[in-house]
Amino acid sequence: MQELIRLLEQEGLDGLYLTRPENVRYLSGFSSPEDAQVYVSREGALLLTDGRYTVQAEEESRIPFKILTREERKAFFEGLEGRIGFEAEHLPYARLEELRELAPVEWVPTRGLVERLRIKKTPEEVRLIQKAQALADEAFRRILPLVSPGVKEVELALELEFYLRRHGAEATAFPIIVASGPRGAMPHGVASEKAIQEGEMVTVDFGARYKGYHSDLTRTFGVGRVDPEKKRLFDAVLLVLEEVLAQLAPGKPAKELDALARRVLEKEGLKAYFTHSLGHGVGLAVHEAPGLNAYTEEVLEPGMVVTVEPGVYLPGFAGVRVEELVLVTETGFELLSRLDRGWLEV
Ligand code: ZN
Ligand code: ZN
């Protein structure tokens, strides 16, 4: 909490009104952060929620909390003074207008303040991400025997989801991607009614949410014998992943890793088909800082948890992505998935 008060001083703020659910959860431990906010002042942080959550706030909140009726909420805002920060990337404009009416203070847009604190994970956070990843690994192992020509993408997605939920995940990290054959060329091809065919490649990208923390995993495999022209895409993507992992270490600028990935694909004649960034941080949000892309100034530090997920997508033909989740350590990195990432034909 000292860090937060230092942030207020640094930004010249008297208070900070936080609405982004991941940030609310991070600071309070409260598991319904969509229905709560955190107000930070020089005295400390306070969770604000309503009468539906009295028992839950009592049980979960690591910081003092207030249950506010509509009138009490109004009075709370009327009592504010000075310069109060809000989260410009999260607070809708209409909410800001309401706040301005309630509290005639100077509302100051802020960006990424709590996200900066979240960027390096504590050992406890790492433990929760590891648990979320272990669930995903096991779910993936469980669906492989179910893969055969004629099975629909959505059937595999349902099996994954059922396994995750059955074993303690709160939810999937995001809508599960199962993209087979030409659908593999859609990087975010959410599982459809399409039946998987012999000779196709299948990309599965999914994760679990466990106690608020996420995992993220992608594997691409073949169903029966896959045409060498398609398999070549897999080999190229795996080569990128191996080359990037060989360079991944604390002190490394994230944009250098992204550039390295593109150089390797350029040699393979596939650079134009890699249409997204190389990776992203994972934690309370499934996509968070640091981004591994061409535009970031982030440098990897021990405690960061990031994905490395090169992919190539050839419209009308096929697509491949392979994604690993890694913890940056003092000496290099630790893979959080225990799954093999080599070529697999099922
Ligand atoms: Zn993913
Ligand atoms: Zn990802």
Side-chain angles (χ1 to χ4, degrees):
M1 225 37 84
Q2 284 314 108
E3 287 163 308
L4 271 177
I5 295 168
R6 216 173 306 127
L7 266 181
L8 288 185
E9 282 165 8
Q10 199 182 301
E11 303 290 315
L13 296 170
D14 298 294
L16 181 59
Y17 179 60
L18 300 163
T19 51
R20 183 172 208 143
E22 295 88 346
N23 292 341
V24 170
R25 189 162 186 168
Y26 180 74
L27 295 174
S28 67
F30 185 60
S31 69
S32 296
E34 295 79 9
D35 292 327
Q37 304 83 37
V38 167
Y39 182 73
V40 184
S41 68
R42 310 268 165 139
E43 281 89 65
L46 189 60
L47 178 75
L48 309 175
T49 184
D50 61 66
R52 293 171 296 171
Y53 294 104
T54 311
V55 174
Q56 193 180 325
E58 181 83 54
E59 282 178 358
E60 294 179 349
S61 187
R62 292 190 297 259
I63 57 175
F65 67 92
K66 261 191 170 41
I67 303 294
L68 299 174
T69 62
R70 231 183 143 75
E71 283 64 42
E72 286 165 337
R73 177 170 292 270
K74 197 162 172 274
F76 177 85
F77 282 105
E78 282 167 357
L80 298 182
E81 285 176 352
R83 285 165 52 83
I84 312 292
F86 66 94
E87 297 184 290
E89 293 162 309
H90 188 267
L91 192 79
Y93 187 74
R95 275 297 287 143
L96 177 62
E97 282 187 328
E98 283 169 32
L99 288 174
R100 280 184 174 140
E101 259 172 49
L102 280 175
V105 299
E106 186 186 346
W107 287 98
V108 181
T110 69
R111 286 179 177 78
L113 294 183
V114 179
E115 285 81 349
R116 280 248 53 90
L117 305 180
R118 284 172 36 208
I119 201 166
K120 286 170 71 171
K121 274 60 185 176
T122 64
E124 173 62 8
E125 290 182 290
V126 170
R127 196 185 66 76
L128 297 174
I129 296 169
Q130 276 169 329
K131 171 76 182 170
Q133 186 62 50
L135 285 171
D137 282 6
E138 192 52 33
F140 183 77
R141 286 188 198 104
R142 296 294 177 103
I143 64 152
L144 282 178
L146 307 175
V147 177
S148 64
V151 170
K152 291 176 182 173
E153 293 173 350
V154 72
E155 292 178 89
L156 296 183
L158 281 168
E159 291 295 335
L160 288 170
E161 180 160 358
F162 187 79
Y163 183 88
L164 296 175
R165 298 291 309 274
R166 184 76 184 77
H167 291 84
E170 294 166 348
T172 59
F174 48 86
I176 293 176
I177 293 170
V178 180
S180 62
R183 290 192 81 250
M186 294 194 280
H188 275 195
V190 170
S192 76
E193 290 290 328
K194 178 187 172 299
I196 293 165
Q197 312 287 320
E198 176 89 27
E200 285 183 339
M201 291 192 294
V202 181
T203 299
V204 178
D205 184 354
F206 72 107
R209 191 173 86 208
Y210 181 74
K211 297 191 175 169
Y213 286 82
H214 296 85
S215 54
D216 195 1
L217 168 75
T218 308
R219 288 292 182 269
T220 300
F221 53 87
V223 180
R225 288 218 42 89
V226 170
D227 174 292
E229 268 303 288
K230 290 179 185 147
K231 163 83 170 25
R232 184 183 89 84
L233 303 179
F234 179 90
D235 296 338
V237 167
L238 190 64
L239 177 66
V240 174
L241 186 55
E242 301 300 345
E243 301 245 333
V244 170
L245 290 179
Q247 296 296 318
L248 200 150
K252 198 82 182 167
K255 65 180 172 194
E256 281 186 19
L257 295 176
D258 184 90
L260 168 62
R262 280 165 227 283
R263 275 201 306 281
V264 178
L265 282 175
E266 190 160 31
K267 278 187 219 148
E268 302 289 319
L270 292 167
K271 186 183 165 202
Y273 303 105
F274 180 28
T275 48
H276 53 75
S277 57
L278 178 64
H280 54 87
V282 173
L284 283 167
V286 71
H287 292 116
E288 60 181 42
L292 270 56
N293 58 54
Y295 314 102
T296 179
E297 296 305 322
E298 298 286 359
V299 174
L300 295 184
E301 288 180 58
M304 290 179 172
V305 172
V306 297
T307 70
V308 181
E309 48 181 305
V312 293
Y313 311 94
L314 278 67
F317 184 61
V320 172
R321 177 167 64 262
V322 184
E323 176 177 33
E324 290 286 23
L325 185 65
V326 309
L327 167 68
V328 183
T329 63
E330 296 289 340
T331 51
F333 68 89
E334 184 189 319
L335 283 172
L336 296 184
S337 171
R338 301 276 178 261
L339 285 179
D340 193 82
R341 60 174 173 267
W343 176 246
L344 180 67
E345 281 176 0
V346 295

